[in-house]
Amino acid sequence: LSLAGLFFWLVSLLLSSLIWFIAVKASDPNNEPLQKRLLIFGVMFSVLLQEAFRFLYYKLLSWLGPNMLSLCGKAIKGLMALSEDGCSLISIQQMAYVAGVGFGLVSSAFSMINLLADALGPGTVGIYGDSQLYFLTSAFMTMVLIFLHTFWGILFFHSCENRSWQEIVAVVVMHLAVSALSFCNPVYMGSLVPSYVLMAVAATWAYLLLGGSAQNVRRFLLCKS
């Protein structure tokens, strides 16, 4: 399930990259304001396309639900044997969690590729007076993206299951906001702090939607069953 989520995200990246590439080639490369607007358009379009493919992945999983036994056969019987009651398959909440992790891991991996390539040198970060925390803040941003995609997956799947379209809109708005915050760089605190605030909001929201409560947190902290 996680690898399938990874694949869906990669397809969305491929399509958004093709559209952005065509737009750049069809425009004047010396027009800097236009190129910046195209970059903003590319980022926002990529976010919308990612959420569209998250929805397509949910539709695929919802279709596979009643058909999975006939499609997978022995593999599903093995999953049933590993379940707590010996008869139930994995729930839509578990699917949402694993799908979100897949989205987050591949998204973060691609966000770090260029950074790791630049880290090979030549040069030294901050040699011209720029922030020396570039790689550190990028690592923290990568971490928050993994968590956000996980929580967004839970919220998105829950909203689709309950036909709560305002929750889908909230996920898309949060995703757009986090992506737009990247344009605050190199003022890294301007992007990092709001992103972590949004992560805390999404985490709390997802926890409550899945039946969590303050009492459960207290029992967890006190190591009570």
Side-chain angles (χ1 to χ4, degrees):
L1 289 175
S2 183
L3 289 176
L6 183 151
F7 172 76
F8 271 75
W9 189 91
L10 284 176
V11 175
S12 72
L13 176 67
L14 174 63
L15 293 179
S16 58
S17 299
L18 283 174
I19 294 174
W20 180 80
F21 179 78
I22 293 171
V24 169
K25 289 298 181 181
S27 61
D28 182 9
N30 298 319
N31 190 338
E32 291 187 5
L34 176 60
Q35 293 301 318
K36 186 174 182 178
R37 288 194 294 269
L38 285 177
L39 179 61
I40 296 173
F41 162 77
V43 170
M44 300 307 165
F45 182 80
S46 176
V47 168
L48 296 177
L49 205 56
Q50 287 177 49
E51 297 304 327
F53 271 83
R54 198 194 302 272
F55 178 74
L56 290 176
Y57 188 37
Y58 162 77
K59 296 298 290 184
L60 175 65
L61 291 178
S62 62
W63 175 81
L64 282 176
N67 298 283
M68 197 173 285
L69 190 59
S70 60
L71 289 173
C72 300
K74 294 181 179 179
I76 291 300
K77 292 180 181 179
L79 289 174
M80 292 169 64
L82 291 174
S83 64
E84 292 183 358
D85 55 8
C87 60
S88 61
L89 303 179
I90 55 177
S91 64
I92 190 66
Q93 291 87 356
Q94 291 169 315
M95 289 183 181
Y97 173 79
V98 177
V101 170
F103 266 65
L105 289 176
V106 67
S107 173
S108 300
F110 269 80
S111 70
M112 290 296 290
I113 285 177
N114 290 333
L115 291 177
L116 295 176
D118 292 338
L120 296 176
T124 302
V125 176
I127 194 171
Y128 293 116
D130 297 323
S131 174
Q132 297 185 6
L133 301 177
Y134 177 63
F135 289 108
L136 183 63
T137 53
S138 298
F140 275 100
M141 196 64 190
T142 300
M143 182 173 67
V144 78
L145 279 174
I146 296 174
F147 282 115
L148 279 171
H149 271 290
T150 302
F151 300 139
W152 287 338
I154 295 171
L155 295 172
F156 198 97
F157 278 43
H158 180 273
S159 61
C160 291
E161 282 289 294
N162 295 275
R163 301 296 189 269
S164 180
W165 306 120
Q166 63 270 22
E167 292 179 8
I168 295 180
V169 173
V171 170
V172 174
V173 169
M174 282 192 288
H175 198 167
L176 286 170
V178 172
S179 299
L181 286 170
S182 64
F183 292 108
C184 294
N185 296 331
V187 184
Y188 299 118
M189 291 299 103
S191 60
L192 203 60
V193 174
S195 297
Y196 271 83
V197 172
L198 285 174
M199 184 195 73
V201 172
T204 304
W205 192 0
Y207 176 71
L208 294 175
L209 283 181
L210 295 178
S213 65
Q215 185 180 15
N216 290 344
V217 175
R218 184 175 61 84
R219 288 177 174 176
F220 168 74
L221 294 176
L222 296 175
C223 298
K224 293 183 178 180
S225 60

